[in-house]
């Protein structure tokens, strides 16, 4: 049309200047400028035909148009706003004008005849581009340059062309970083790359070389942000940068134009685009460049090599005609894999992964075992998988990489090592990758973690020795380079620990391991933390070259471990460490310089430790006086640990006959310490720091010497240490007494010393108690003076003296000493000093003003007080400690004299012990203490409340309720504080839920009773977010209810019956955790299952805070109750009724009960508990609840719940056959009830042999059962008939065994029916289902009586019934939970059946209504669905097609022979749309997964009644393989709509008349197992970036294409 317009204009006026002048007048609209462009192009064509000469009217007119109109127009456009990053109509109009004006300018330059105009225009546009003006100016300049660039002369204008090329390249690569507007700036860059550079590329080799030089120059922009622009430029110039097949590429020509294939920078850019680019378009450009380079190389056939960047490895790219076929196959597979990865769908990618294995086979030479293809190409594939947002794909990529060395040995490559330390470790930092595989048992370990362990061990063992050290060091340093979660760091540490022994790490490696240890401390999971520390220590022992590290380095490294979490003495890790030190004792490096703690290095461990102790005990040179701070504990910990290690190493070296040598060595080590401690009592001038360090070391030795996992009596070292310490007891105790009582502690820093002295004194008391307490020993002689002196000091302080700092510190010290004495006396009655009656000490402590705060020191001393270093505490903490110690003393008094506490204060007019005999005032003071004390100091207040509240609950209920409230506020505020929360919670539970409190509160039924219930539910609520809270409550309550009596059967549950809700909630407790929480618990279980092999299990106490232990505690409590005890019986009956009510409530809630939902789990736990309670039910009680149990059978339940209901019904009927009459009535209920419940009762009937064991006369029962089973065999529902046949088979075998004559009339009918079902022909679903249900555990193996035990209830049945593993409770957990004793009378373990050996079956009880899938009764097809085989009819004269044709004939429609299978589609909207499409185009049938979809409103909204006119067939997804095979046998071609490696383009495919179209799932497409059943895969050609269409749209396109082809064929036939 444009040419016609231009021709018409020229025909009207042959003078071009007139026409051009007319067009150049008026507003510069897009239409006007485009018309001008068309006219100039027409003139240009005419001039070209005439031969042109550059003279005449046309060139002159062109120059006038350019100078007078187009150049001013373009200048105006350069400075006009572009409209922002979101172009509106104005911006689009501007760009249209700009594009037309530039094209017109190019025509003017050509028509003008001379090069001057083009050069001038280019110079002006280049100036604008380099000026860095607004983005619109850059766009205009680029358009002008792209237009006139091809008009420039390569030789004469060469410098100008090169400058233009350099500016364009800088703009395209984003080298100009001054642009603020990201959107338009990117447009300008894209314009430069897409239009200007290709245009300049036509100007010859010099320009191309300039562009290429800028791309590959050493200083060219690099990094992830520049990959996209570089690939944009490269793809735009691909045809010029890659040689053209057939062109002369001789030696001389090779210099004219570059060959990108020979440049390693080009290939690195392509690899970066393939692996790291975030956008799909950049990755597509990289694939295009790779594919184009391969195609060019194959067509040229010449040898080509890209010089390696470094090393002697293979080139990044090379080509050889000899290897053409192998190379083509390699790159074809490579590009296919990369394209498949774009889909991001694991079910599509997984079948392609085997091709990745073949890539390695092509890439490695079999002859010499070296790389043929550079391994970085393989790494690109893995990087792309690791960068995927689909975590399943990431995991598949990681696992595939880790499995590489399982089947092949790959040559060493630096690329591999860099990849492992970089992208692989980054991917391994994702915790979700370590989730166990489906079907794996909880605690069996992460498959990925185990593969990582195997991979690292194999890879490191294959590394060259000179590379091994640097690789391992970088690997460990990488573990410190980011914040790692607990689970990845654990499995990485475990993998390192399993690397074969080698001398790979020196001091730098040891420091790196120490840094990793510090990284592990950030996690809150203590068990995982401890396990990781153990593995890192094993790594050090395996990989450190001992000749490069000293004993000082090793000891400093060991101090990075927490001994209370991993390196406990006596653990397997400790033994391993001792053995390592023994073997390498003489090999450690001896340093000439002094170590960090001032020790000369020696090679012998004993000599090193001896020097270590001697140097430690010496008084430090930097001690300045008595007012110095107490030393840090670090050195004491280090020396104590090394002493114990050296002693145990010596014990390993000596034989049993040389035990004395170990004693001598230990004595030599400790001589300096013992000598120092012995002089403490007599040498008053011993430096203070020396005494501090000596006592610190003594304390650490005593703490760390205890063997983990065994008794101290068996430990020779601990016995020796005790004897050594006892020899110093008198001196040490006298020193402590002097320091605490003689006003020697006078500064704030001395409070730390006070704490140290009291801890030492406590340890000495414990030692003397262990060896046997003797009245008059040194400790005995110290306790009384210490107590008296402390009381004296406190009394003196109350005399009104001015509160100086020294006096106040002494007061705090005295109260702390009294608190220690009280705690010691409370735990060890042997220390009792006074008579049982209240002595002066008790009277003094009881008379102390409670919560009395210490006055700050006088003003002049405050400055020195606050100038003390960070070791000093604030005055508030000092006061809090003082009040805390007061309450420690008071709690001791309250426990000792609890019998003296009156019910009300009026009973004691003049109390001897005010704090005890005035309990109301004391409890009020306790509330006051809770308001002033920090949370970590409230424990003794809780202990006092535990004694006071039961006494005051009746007379001062409101005060007690207030104490409950305030204590709960403290607990709830502490929920995020790990260190002090659990001890406080335990103390809180002990005083609020004390048995006496519960009993009194239930008796008076006042505020306290309801407050306790409220707190109970708040604790349960808290436990949903903080695991272990409910455990504390239920464990304490159950123990307090039963443990008070030696014979549990005699315990009265009078208080417990009022709180049965607590046991109820415990029986059904359990939260549904997030995936990350489940993963953490799973890994913790895995560590626990390692047992003593993991030292953390020995060192860290198992707190049993898992949710399972709540139910275990409740169940074990219930198992201890006896039906013979009336209170027990009433309690259990009340609990059973509440459980049934809870089940009814859950059943009525509207929440969907999908498998493993919270509702499903609740109901499951309810019936498990009812089964536990069953032995205590008598007939009278069952009369009350039997209807509720039967009613539960009528409810639509999940399979596991059905099994429990059926089991308890069987047990009831077995124990009480009189309930059989009610059971028969269940089969007579209304039709609506029987639709979904009849299978439950038929399952019970299939265990009739168990039910009738206690019935003497079995014939009437068998006859009734036989009648019912026969009736149900004629039920319209297939599942019901199946269950009825199972019951019939069981009943009939019993009838034959008992020779019941009355049944002879039915023999032929029953026998023929059973024979027919047993000998069913074919391999259809009916036969399979009959076989499965007979083999199912509930009918084949399960014995309701013999298998009645906890393991079956809580582990085996949940496992076999498909319940999620979180609900399986292994019997070992019941036995390990020792808080509640086990009842020997209960069946704890599995009876001798094979039930525990079975695997979950694939048959599940189904709740299917009788109307399911039975929509039409007119056709034989519908009759087939009612038979045993749902969709397969054996009648030879009737097939699917005839049925369809018959139905369509009735509808009066024309019909095709196309069957559309939509069974895999989930969404009703897509199925409804397909139904409508199939009906419109006359498909013969639509196959769906369930006919229930037609009732869905979303389906109906899109189908608009099409389902009424189209045959619908139900084929469930598991049945599809059989269905497809049947259709193939009938002559159908099975066509899949899927993109595969061998799929056929839709435009090229010819549909057979008998076509079956299989559509995939919305998310996953067609599964791999079904792809194998297809005859052909057809894909729809696409032009865009997005790789998939909606499944309904895809189906519609293929249905139409089939219809179109059939219409054309029928048209040809008719013609």
């Amino acid at each position: 049309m444009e040419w016609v317009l231009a021709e018409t204009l020229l025909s009207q006026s042959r003078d071009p200047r007139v026409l051009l002048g007319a067009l150049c007048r008026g507003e510069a609209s897009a239409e006007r400028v485009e018309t001008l462009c068309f006219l100039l192009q027409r003139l240009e064509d005419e001039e070209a035909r005439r031969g042109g000469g550059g003279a005449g009217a046309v060139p002159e007119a062109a120059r006038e148009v350019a100078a007078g109109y187009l150049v001013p127009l373009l200048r105006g456009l350069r400075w006009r706003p572009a409209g922002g990053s979101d172009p509106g109509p104005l911006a689009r109009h501007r760009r249209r004008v700009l594009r037309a004006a530039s094209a017109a300018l190019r025509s003017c330059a050509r028509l003008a005849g001379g090069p001057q105009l083009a050069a001038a225009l280019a110079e002006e546009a280049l100036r604008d581009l380099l000026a860095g003006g607004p983005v619109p100016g850059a766009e205009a300049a680029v358009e002008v340059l792209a237009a006139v660039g091809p008009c420039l002369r390569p030789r004469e204008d060469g410098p100008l062309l090169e400058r233009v090329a350099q500016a364009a390249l800088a703009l395209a690569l984003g080298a100009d970083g001054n642009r603020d507007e990201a959107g338009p700036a990117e447009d300008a860059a894209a314009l430069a790359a897409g239009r200007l550079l290709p245009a300049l590329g036509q100007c010859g080799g010099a320009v191309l070389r300039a562009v290429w030089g800028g791309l590959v120059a050493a200083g060219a922009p690099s990094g992830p942000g520049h990959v996209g622009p570089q690939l944009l430029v490269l793809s735009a110039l691909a045809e010029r940068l890659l040689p053209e097949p057939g062109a002369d590429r001789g030696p001389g020509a090779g210099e004219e134009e570059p060959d990108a294939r020979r440049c390693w920078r080009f290939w690195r850019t392509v690899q970066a685009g393939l692996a790291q680019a975030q956008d799909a378009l950049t990755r597509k450009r990289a694939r295009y460049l790779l594919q184009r380079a391969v195609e060019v190389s194959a067509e040229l056939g010449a040898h080509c090599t890209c010089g390696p960047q470094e090393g002697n490895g293979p080139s990044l790219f090379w080509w050889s005609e000899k290897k053409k076929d192998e190379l083509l196959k390699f790159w074809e597979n490579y590009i296919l894999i990369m394209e498949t990865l774009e889909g991001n769908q694991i079910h599509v990618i997984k079948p392609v992964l085997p091709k990745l294995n073949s890539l390695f086979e092509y890439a490695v030479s079999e002859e010499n075992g070296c790389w043929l293809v550079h391994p970085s190409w393989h790494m690109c594939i893995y990087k792309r998988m690791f960068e995927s947002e689909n975590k399943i794909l990431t995991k598949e990529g990681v696992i595939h990489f880790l499995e590489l060395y399982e089947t092949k040995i790959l040559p060493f490559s630096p690329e591999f090592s860099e990849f492992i330390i970089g992208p692989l470790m980054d991917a391994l930092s994702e915790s979700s990758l370590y989730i166990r595989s489906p079907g794996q048992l909880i605690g069996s370990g992460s498959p990925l973690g185990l593969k990582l362990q195997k991979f690292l061990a194999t890879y490191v063992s294959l590394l060259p020795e000179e590379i091994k050290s640097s690789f391992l060091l970088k690997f460990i340093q990488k573990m410190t380079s980011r914040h790692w979660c607990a689970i990845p760091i654990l499995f990485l540490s475990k993998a390192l620990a399993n690397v074969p022994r080698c001398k790979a790490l020196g001091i730098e490696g040891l420091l790196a391991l120490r840094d990793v240890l510090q990284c592990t401390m950030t996690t809150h999971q203590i068990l995982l933390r401890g396990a990781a520390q153990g593995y890192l220590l094993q790594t050090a022992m395996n990989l450190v070259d001992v000749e490069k590290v000293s004993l000082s380095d090793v000891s400093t490294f060991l101090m990075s471990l927490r001994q209370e979490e991993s390196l406990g003495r006596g653990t397997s890790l400790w033994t391993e460490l001792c053995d390592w030190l023994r073997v390498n004792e003489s090999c450690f490096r001896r340093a000439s310089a002094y170590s960090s703690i001032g020790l000369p290095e020696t090679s012998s461990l004993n000599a090193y430790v001896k020097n270590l102790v001697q140097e430690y005990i010496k008084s430090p040179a930097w001690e300045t006086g008595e007012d110095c701070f107490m030393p840090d504990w670090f050195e004491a910990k280090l020396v104590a640990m090394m002493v114990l290690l050296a002693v145990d190493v010596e014990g390993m070296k000596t034989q049993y006959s040389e035990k004395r040598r170990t004693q001598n060595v230990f004595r030599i080590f400790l001589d300096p310490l013992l000598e120092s401690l012995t002089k403490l009592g007599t040498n008053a001038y011993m430096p203070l720091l020396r005494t501090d360090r000596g006592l610190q070391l003594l304390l650490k030795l005593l703490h760390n010497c205890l063997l983990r996992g065994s008794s101290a009596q068996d430990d020779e070292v601990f016995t020796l240490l005790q004897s050594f310490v006892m020899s110093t007891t008198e001196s040490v105790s006298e020193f402590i007494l002097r320091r605490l009582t003689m006003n020697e502690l006078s500064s704030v820093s001395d409070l730390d010393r006070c704490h140290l002295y009291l801890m030492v004194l406590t340890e000495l008391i414990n030692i003397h108690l262990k060896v046997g307490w003797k009245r008059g020993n040194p400790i005995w002689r110290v306790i009384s003076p210490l107590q008296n002196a402390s009381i004296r000091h406190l009394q003196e302080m109350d005399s009104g003296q001015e509160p100086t700092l020294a006096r106040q510190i002494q007061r705090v010290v005295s109260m702390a000493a009294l608190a220690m004495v009280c705690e010691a006396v409370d735990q060890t009655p042997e220390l009792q000093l006074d008579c049982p009656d209240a002595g002066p000490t008790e009277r003094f402590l009881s008379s102390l003003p409670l919560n009395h705060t210490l006055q700050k020191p006088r003003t002049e001393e405050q400055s020195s007080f606050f100038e003390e270093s960070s070791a000093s505490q604030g005055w508030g903490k000092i006061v809090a400690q003082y009040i805390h110690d007061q309450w420690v003393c008071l709690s001791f008094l309250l426990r000792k004299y609890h019998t003296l506490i009156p019910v009300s204060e009026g009973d004691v007019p003049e109390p001897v012990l005010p704090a005890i005999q005035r309990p109301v005032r004391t409890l009020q003071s306790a509330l006051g203490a809770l308001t002033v004390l920090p949370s970590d100091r409230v424990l003794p207040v809780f202990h006092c409340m535990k004694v006071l509240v039961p006494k005051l609950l009746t007379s001062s209920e409101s005060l007690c309720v207030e104490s409950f409230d305030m204590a709960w506020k403290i607990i709830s505020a502490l929920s995020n504080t790990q260190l002090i929360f659990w001890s406080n919670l335990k103390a809180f539970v002990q005083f609020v839920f004390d048995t006496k409190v519960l009993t009194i509160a239930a008796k008076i039924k006042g505020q306290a009773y309801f407050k306790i219930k409220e707190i109970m539910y708040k604790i349960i609520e808290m436990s949903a977010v903080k695991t272990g809270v409910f455990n504390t409550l239920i464990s304490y309550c159950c123990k307090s209810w039963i443990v008070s009596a030696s014979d549990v059967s005699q315990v009265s549950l009078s208080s417990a019956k009022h709180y049965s809700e607590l046991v109820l909630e415990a029986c059904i407790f359990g939260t549904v955790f997030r995936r990350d929480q489940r993963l953490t618990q799973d890994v913790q279980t895995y560590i626990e299952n390692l047992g003593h092999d993991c030292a953390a299990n020995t060192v860290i106490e198992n707190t049993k805070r898992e949710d399972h232990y709540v139910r275990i505690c409740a169940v074990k409590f219930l198992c201890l109750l006896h039906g013979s005890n009336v209170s027990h019986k009433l309690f259990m009956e009340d609990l059973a009724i509440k459980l049934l009510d809870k089940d009814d409530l859950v059943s009525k809630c509207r929440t969907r009960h999908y498998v493993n939902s919270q509702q499903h789990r609740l109901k499951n736990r309810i019936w498990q508990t009812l089964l536990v309670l069953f032995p205590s039910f008598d007939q009278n009680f069952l009369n009350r609840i039997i209807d509720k149990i039967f009613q539960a059978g009528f409810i639509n339940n999940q399979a596991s719940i059905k099994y429990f209901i059926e089991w308890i019904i069987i047990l009831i009927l077995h124990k009480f056959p009189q309930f059989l009459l009610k059971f028969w009535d269940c089969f007579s209920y209304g039709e609506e009830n029987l639709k979904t419940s009849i299978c439950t009762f038929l399952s019970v009937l299939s265990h009739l042999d168990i039910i009738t064991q206690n019935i003497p006369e079995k014939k009437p029962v068998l006859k009734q059962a036989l009648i019912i089973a026969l009736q149900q065999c004629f039920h319209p529902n297939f599942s019901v008939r199946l269950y009825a046949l199972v019951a019939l088979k069981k009943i009939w075998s019993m009838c034959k065994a008992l020779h019941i004559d009355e049944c002879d009339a039915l023999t032929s009918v029953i026998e023929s029916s059973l024979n027919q079902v047993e000998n069913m022909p074919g391999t259809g679903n009916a036969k399979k289902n009959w076989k499965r249900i007979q083999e199912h555990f509930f009918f084949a193996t399960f014995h309701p009586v013999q298998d009645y035990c906890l393991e079956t209830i809580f582990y085996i049945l949940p496992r076999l019934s498909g319940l999620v593993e979180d609900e399986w409770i292994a019997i070992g957990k019941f036995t390990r939970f020792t808080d509640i004793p086990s009842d020997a009378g209960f069946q704890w373990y599995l009876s001798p059946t094979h039930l525990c050996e079975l695997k979950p079956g694939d048959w599940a009880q189904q709740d299917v209504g009788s109307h399911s899938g039975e929509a039409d009764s007119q056709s034989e097809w519908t009759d087939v669905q009612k038979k045993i085989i749902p969709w397969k009819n054996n009648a030879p004269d009737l097939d699917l097609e005839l049925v369809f044709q018959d139905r369509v004939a009735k509808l009066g429609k024309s019909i095709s022979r196309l069957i559309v299978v939509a069974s895999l589609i989930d969404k009703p909207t897509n199925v409804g749309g397909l139904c409508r499409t199939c009906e419109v185009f006359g498909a013969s049938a639509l196959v769906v997964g369930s006919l229930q979809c037609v009732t869905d409103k979303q389906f109906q909204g899109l189908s608009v009644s099409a389902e009424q006119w189209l045959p619908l067939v139900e084929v469930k997804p598991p049945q599809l393989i059989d269905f497809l095979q049947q259709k193939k046998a009938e002559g159908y071609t099975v066509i899949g709509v899927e993109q595969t490696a061998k799929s056929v383009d839709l435009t090229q495919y010819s549909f057979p008349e008998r076509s079956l179209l299989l559509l995939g799932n919305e998310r996953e497409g067609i599964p791999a197992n079904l792809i194998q059943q297809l005859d052909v895969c057809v894909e729809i050609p696409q032009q865009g970036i997005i790789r998939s269409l909606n499944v309904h749209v895809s189906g519609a396109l293929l249905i139409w294409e089939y219809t179109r082809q059939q219409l054309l064929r029928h048209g040809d036939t008719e013609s």
Side-chain angles (χ1 to χ4, degrees), residues 890-911:
L890 186 57
S891 66
F892 163 70
L893 290 182
L894 287 170
R895 283 193 296 274
K896 184 176 179 181
Y897 299 105
H898 63 91
T899 56
L900 301 179
I901 302 174
V903 177
S904 62
E905 292 190 359
D907 298 344
V908 185
E910 291 184 6

Side-chain angles (χ1 to χ4, degrees), residues 24 219 294 362 583 618 678 742 964 999 1055 1085 1128 1223-1224 1371 1559:
C24 291
V294 172
Y362 290 129
V583 171
K618 284 182 183 178
T678 307
M742 300 301 290
F964 293 164
T999 304
S1055 66
T1085 307
H1128 292 194
F1223 177 69
W1224 301 135
I1371 195 67
L1559 300 172

Side-chain angles (χ1 to χ4, degrees), residues 438 797 875 979 1164 1245 1409 1561:
M797 301 303 171
W875 192 252
L979 291 176
N1164 201 75
L1245 210 54
N1561 180 265

Side-chain angles (χ1 to χ4, degrees), residues 78-121:
R78 289 173 196 169
W79 301 101
R80 195 177 301 167
S85 60
D86 183 18
L90 289 177
R92 287 195 293 270
H93 179 267
R94 174 191 167 282
R95 288 180 182 172
R96 187 176 163 191
V97 173
L98 182 62
R99 186 67 54 88
S102 299
L105 198 60
R106 178 173 59 243
S107 296
C108 288
R110 288 172 177 165
L111 286 170
Q116 295 82 8
L117 179 60
L121 291 171

